[in-house]
Amino acid sequence: MISKAAEMTVLLNRLFPDQSARVLEAMSEVQRDVFVDPGWKRMAYTDSSLPIGHGQTISKPATVFRMLSALEPVFGGKLLETGSGSGYLASVASRLFNRVYCVERVLGLVESSRTNLRQTGSGNVVVRYGDGSSGWAEHALFDGILYSAGAPELPVSLAGQLREGGLAGVPVGTKSSQEFIVWRKVEGELERVSSFTCSFVPLIGKEGWNG
Ligand code: SAH
């Protein structure tokens, strides 16, 4: 039988024939089936978003790949992820960044993600329970910031927590459809670098929906 790591490699090479070798390698080291609900494990190596419990979903591998690839210039630094859910993106990121700080607003997911992260050898990740819409000021400045839930507009706290030259990616749009916009901080201002269309669950909190 083909190994799980090989299954992810086959999928990613088909989706992204000429892309970042480092992200592909990190993704092939992490067993995605560990992070999804028991009934969905056989779908873990397809390009689908899948249930992780508590009404939330794990992003498609292609989306995780794009989010992390956009931050390649700041690999090796400190990453903040808001909306860490199952911990899958954080586990892949732990192979690319020195430290990964996560905030998740569903307590059940904070607990299950810590178990998943332990099981996949991601010791440089910490997960905090709470509203991460305003980032995590205590650990700023970050080299990279990723929001894994969609915001109505760019959270105002973000710029102050990103170091000069750092990169941040946030899905911004409506509750059902967003543009994942990547910014770089240049001379204190955020400059737009790139974007792609996406569909994330809503960011609920002070600087998100219902804030
Ligand atoms: N990257 C995750 C995907 C999680 S889906 C993974 O790999 O599994 C988005 C997550 O954002 C959900 O778990 C949701 O509970 C969380 N979320 C939404 N608003 C949030 C907020 N204000 N602070 C922290 N987490 C939030």
Side-chain angles (χ1 to χ4, degrees), residues 3-4 10-11 26-27 57 63 72 82 85 89 91 94-95 102 110 120 154 168:
S3 76
K4 286 171 172 153
V10 169
L11 174 69
M27 286 182 75
T57 53
T63 305
E72 182 147 5
T82 279
L89 183 142
S91 178
S94 76
R95 277 116 177 124
C102 298
V110 171
T120 52
L154 180 67

Side-chain angles (χ1 to χ4, degrees), residues 42-63:
R42 71 193 159 74
M43 296 282 288
Y45 300 93
T46 62
D47 193 32
S48 332
S49 52
L50 296 171
I52 54 174
H54 308 272
Q56 304 300 327
T57 53
I58 186 173
S59 307
K60 288 180 185 191
T63 305

Side-chain angles (χ1 to χ4, degrees), residues 82-144:
T82 279
S84 45
S86 67
Y88 175 69
L89 183 142
S91 178
V92 177
S94 76
R95 277 116 177 124
L96 300 166
F97 288 86
N98 185 33
R99 296 285 293 168
V100 181
Y101 296 89
C102 298
V103 191
E104 170 55 53
R105 69 180 285 275
V106 175
L107 184 58
L109 289 173
V110 171
E111 287 162 351
S112 55
S113 65
R114 284 180 181 150
T115 307
N116 298 340
L117 287 160
R118 256 196 310 277
Q119 212 180 318
T120 52
S122 317
N124 55 345
V125 182
V126 284
V127 186
R128 173 171 80 85
Y129 167 55
D131 175 9
S133 61
S134 305
W136 192 350
E138 289 80 355
H139 290 291
L141 297 168
F142 297 101
D143 302 280

